Amino acid sequence: MVDKIKIENLSCYYNKKCVLESLNLNVVKNEILGVIGPANSGKTTFLRTLNRMNDFDITYSRKGSVYLDGDNIFDIDAENLRRRVGMLFAMPIPLPMSIYDNITYAPKRLGLVTKKVDLENMVESVLRDSSLWDEVKDRLGASAMKMSGGQQQRLCIARVLAINPEVILFDEPCSGLDPISTAKVEELMVELKEKYTIVLVTNNVKQASRVSDRTAFFLMGKLIEVDKTDKLFVSPKEKETEDYITGRFG
Ligand SMILES: Nc1ncnc2c1ncn2[C@@H]1O[C@H](COP(=O)(O)OP(=O)(O)OP(=O)(O)O)[C@@H](O)[C@H]1O
Ligand SMILES: [Mg+2]
């Protein structure tokens, strides 16, 4: 097992208030690492640190190191990092343009793909990988805003795949979706881990137990425990974990 990401002594702050404390955690290549925990436990802050989205927030600061394939992410170019570490949010937000243009927008802007035929092939490939091709192949020119919520979320996944990342961060990707769309996104995440390394933050404990290989439990800015998912859900080491997964709080 190879570590794709290694987090050492990471602490994060907003206005000097610590919201994530001395985190040590690794993400194994091609795994789905689930991150669960009640509101305000620092899950989103953790994800936004991994691709330096929080660099834009002037109240935010941090200490510690995060290594991606051995390189400290705080030493590499942030744009380049975000290309390697893509992120998906709770609410799918397609651009107000066609399905095709949604997917080609970033790769074109970044100059990753330029020739029309390469763009077309790329669009088909990422739509297949996001389990959307059969549903949209006859209407690639139609507005993305007319798709269902579940389709929009898979389109947003296709957009992330189009920049060819190594790691994908999901922040509660199913919170606005119905059970059928949720099941599709969950199946998709399991397929995607063959090619990508995935960190899945979810408020839905059952979702973590269904799809993640290992699960980390965060509480009030601290990692309480991390273990193989089967083990964490069947015999957690810590009482706080047990209380949370059995629904006694949170
Ligand atoms: N931009 C910000 N400025 C100031 N404080 C923030 C900011 N973002 C988050 N916080 C605070 O940091 C703490 C951790 O928030 P975070 O969003 O990381 O938690 P979370 O585990 O993702 O919660 P949720 O389950 O509600 O999404 C909270 O106390 C929150 O109020
Ligand atoms: Mg959050």
Side-chain angles (χ1 to χ4, degrees):
M1 291 208 295
V2 180
D3 281 342
K4 184 73 187 170
I5 300 177
K6 221 168 159 22
I7 297 132
E8 286 180 2
N9 263 316
L10 177 72
S11 298
C12 300
Y13 312 80
Y14 295 105
N15 293 313
K16 308 237 153 70
K17 179 176 167 262
C18 184
V19 298
L20 197 60
E21 196 183 327
S22 308
L23 175 67
N24 287 289
L25 184 61
N26 61 333
V27 187
V28 177
K29 190 163 192 277
N30 299 104
E31 78 168 341
I32 299 181
L33 175 71
V35 177
I36 58 171
N40 301 327
S41 50
K43 305 179 300 294
T44 296
T45 302
F46 168 61
L47 281 194
R48 294 173 65 90
T49 298
L50 293 185
N51 74 347
R52 291 180 53 190
M53 288 283 272
N54 266 0
D55 284 15
F56 300 110
D57 185 337
I58 53 163
T59 67
Y60 166 87
S61 58
R62 52 164 167 74
K63 275 198 298 220
S65 310
V66 176
Y67 298 95
L68 174 67
D69 287 338
D71 298 325
N72 194 332
I73 65 163
F74 305 121
D75 293 337
I76 50 186
D77 174 61
E79 279 259 323
N80 184 30
L81 173 71
R82 286 184 210 111
R83 230 173 283 170
R84 294 172 64 187
V85 182
M87 184 157 177
L88 248 288
F89 304 93
M91 289 300 295
I93 312 172
L95 302 166
M97 48 178 80
S98 71
I99 296 171
Y100 185 92
D101 290 344
N102 259 276
I103 297 169
T104 56
Y105 182 82
K108 267 189 189 158
R109 200 176 57 103
L110 296 168
L112 300 179
V113 193
T114 44
K115 279 202 216 127
K116 187 159 180 279
V117 55
D118 294 339
L119 282 166
E120 284 171 359
N121 288 337
M122 183 275 291
V123 168
E124 176 169 346
S125 156
V126 299
L127 283 173
R128 284 191 188 282
D129 282 353
S130 55
S131 308
L132 205 51
W133 177 248
D134 289 335
E135 286 163 65
V136 303
K137 61 173 187 260
D138 300 322
R139 54 179 178 116
L140 295 178
S143 168
M145 310 309 281
K146 292 194 180 136
M147 304 169 92
S148 74
Q151 287 174 329
Q152 289 188 2
Q153 189 57 299
R154 279 177 286 141
L155 178 67
C156 289
I157 294 172
R159 276 174 40 191
V160 171
L161 301 185
I163 56 166
N164 199 20
E166 298 160 35
V167 178
I168 309 178
L169 310 173
F170 287 91
D171 195 359
E172 299 179 29
C174 302
S175 62
L177 303 183
D178 66 83
I180 293 171
S181 303
T182 296
K184 281 191 184 156
V185 172
E186 288 182 2
E187 267 170 43
L188 180 55
M189 288 189 284
V190 172
E191 282 165 23
L192 291 176
K193 77 175 180 185
E194 295 203 355
K195 287 194 201 164
Y196 309 91
T197 301
I198 294 175
V199 184
L200 165 66
V201 162
T202 176
N203 266 334
N204 181 337
V205 168
K206 289 213 175 84
Q207 176 166 76
S209 75
R210 284 191 295 264
V211 307
S212 43
D213 298 293
R214 289 189 310 141
T215 299
F217 172 56
F218 282 25
L219 180 65
M220 298 201 307
K222 289 196 181 123
L223 171 66
I224 303 298
E225 72 178 282
V226 55
D227 215 327
K228 290 218 165 75
T229 296
D230 301 344
K231 209 154 160 266
L232 186 123
F233 281 94
V234 174
S235 51
K237 286 190 212 88
E238 305 297 333
K239 171 138 191 346
E240 289 108 317
T241 315
E242 185 176 353
D243 286 350
Y244 184 68
I245 61 179
T246 54
R248 267 185 283 244
F249 74 87

